[in-house]
Amino acid sequence: MPHVVIHNSVSADGGVGGFDIDIGLHYEIAAMFGADVHLVGSETMLAAGMDPDDAADGALGPPVDAPDDRRPLLAVVDSRGRVRTWAALRQAPHWRDRMVALCSRATPADYLDHLATWHVDHIVAGDQRVDLAGGLAELERVYDAKRVLIDSGGTLNGVLLRAGLVDEVSLLVHPQLVDGPGRVSMFRTAETGDPVALRLVDAEPQRGGIVWLRYDVVEAAGKAGGG
Ligand SMILES: NC(=O)c1ccc[n+]([C@@H]2O[C@H](COP(=O)([O-])OP(=O)(O)OC[C@H]3O[C@@H](n4cnc5c(N)ncnc54)[C@H](OP(=O)(O)O)[C@@H]3O)[C@@H](O)[C@H]2O)c1
């Protein structure tokens, strides 16, 4: 199973939105993990507001797999087939040209056709939602993913943490507090469970009063041998 790191920029109250994120620092620190794969939730992708594929200027060919390309592979969890911005994603500089959608057996067939049209790979894991343990295992088996960075919102974080699939949590704590009903935590679940215990590994001040906190998850119970 790959080593899994959640990386989030948060307000001092643990929220993931509604404040000014130092996005440059977010990705500078993300790059330091040297992840093979960036795993992103569908809501995060939709929130990015990229251009839709049906507005793309011409078709893209099959992905180019350059052996010296050290950029991460982008993988998106999308059982409902909602992310249709692959042309823009493939043209962005952050990831390799090859990309993969994590789908389930409930993913509409026309979405799999859409992925094929845009030369995006897919993995099928799970009946309704994506079986994330199975998806991570496939990412390792097919793409040799050893380190996976989760760049997502609290929902995907929550499912992965509750499934015991996360080894590390990296937080860039910004010196701002966010209130109001729209405030969303970096750890969101449908039901309240026991707290997830963390062990502090490092705390490092960054520019602008931001603090980088690195934690190990004390028990990544969903991973054989504790990760
Ligand atoms: N501050 C930061 O560092 C940061 C980083 C990234 C994103 N964000 C923000 O976070 C917000 C989005 O966060 P979000 O929490 O709404 O969504 P999210 O975590 O991006 O997306 C939810 C994901 O969880 C999956 N999921 C939900 N339940 C599941 C289950 N039971 N089993 C398997 N997969 C499951 C969904 O899959 P399906 O699609 O298959 O349903 C979807 O891919 C955006 O506003 C974004 O800008 C902030």
Side-chain angles (χ1 to χ4, degrees):
M1 198 62 109
H3 184 89
V4 175
V5 182
I6 286 176
H7 175 62
N8 273 145
S9 288
V10 295
S11 51
D13 53 292
V16 288
F19 64 102
D20 298 326
I21 293 177
D22 184 334
I23 203 74
L25 185 65
H26 179 94
Y27 284 106
E28 269 171 48
I29 300 279
M32 291 170 69
F33 287 98
D36 312 295
V37 172
H38 283 184
L39 185 64
V40 181
S42 58
E43 288 295 341
T44 295
M45 259 328 165
L46 294 173
M50 301 180 91
D51 288 341
D53 291 333
D54 56 17
D57 188 15
L60 293 177
V64 176
D65 294 311
D68 57 347
D69 191 347
R70 307 259 47 96
R71 293 175 299 175
L73 175 94
L74 175 68
V76 180
V77 178
D78 189 12
S79 65
R80 289 171 283 172
R82 297 183 303 154
V83 174
R84 291 172 184 254
T85 53
W86 295 103
L89 289 167
R90 283 189 59 196
Q91 285 165 341
H94 320 298
W95 305 285
R96 287 180 225 164
D97 197 19
R98 181 172 296 281
M99 298 187 164
V100 57
L102 268 55
C103 301
S104 72
R105 283 178 272 283
T107 304
D110 80 314
Y111 186 63
L112 303 185
D113 294 343
H114 184 85
L115 294 173
T117 300
W118 291 97
H119 302 280
V120 174
D121 294 358
H122 71 271
I123 287 171
V124 175
D127 291 327
Q128 293 299 321
R129 305 307 271 275
V130 174
D131 165 10
L132 293 164
L136 286 166
E138 276 298 278
L139 285 170
E140 182 174 40
R141 190 183 70 79
V142 180
Y143 301 98
D144 197 28
K146 301 291 183 220
R147 293 177 72 83
V148 174
L149 183 128
I150 313 301
D151 183 11
S152 207
T155 308
L156 186 59
N157 292 346
V159 179
L160 288 162
L161 282 162
R162 282 290 172 224
L165 294 170
V166 181
D167 299 283
E168 275 188 69
V169 176
S170 159
L171 299 177
L172 284 170
V173 182
H174 288 52
Q176 296 171 66
L177 296 169
V178 179
D179 62 358
R183 182 197 167 280
V184 281
S185 167
M186 59 76 58
F187 181 31
R188 293 169 81 184
T189 53
E191 288 165 20
T192 306
D194 293 335
V196 173
L198 304 175
R199 182 187 306 112
L200 182 67
V201 173
D202 201 13
E204 204 180 285
Q206 302 288 323
R207 66 190 181 219
I210 296 167
V211 181
W212 182 24
L213 299 176
R214 285 186 69 172
Y215 298 96
D216 281 341
V217 176
V218 171
E219 203 173 344
K223 310 184 84 163

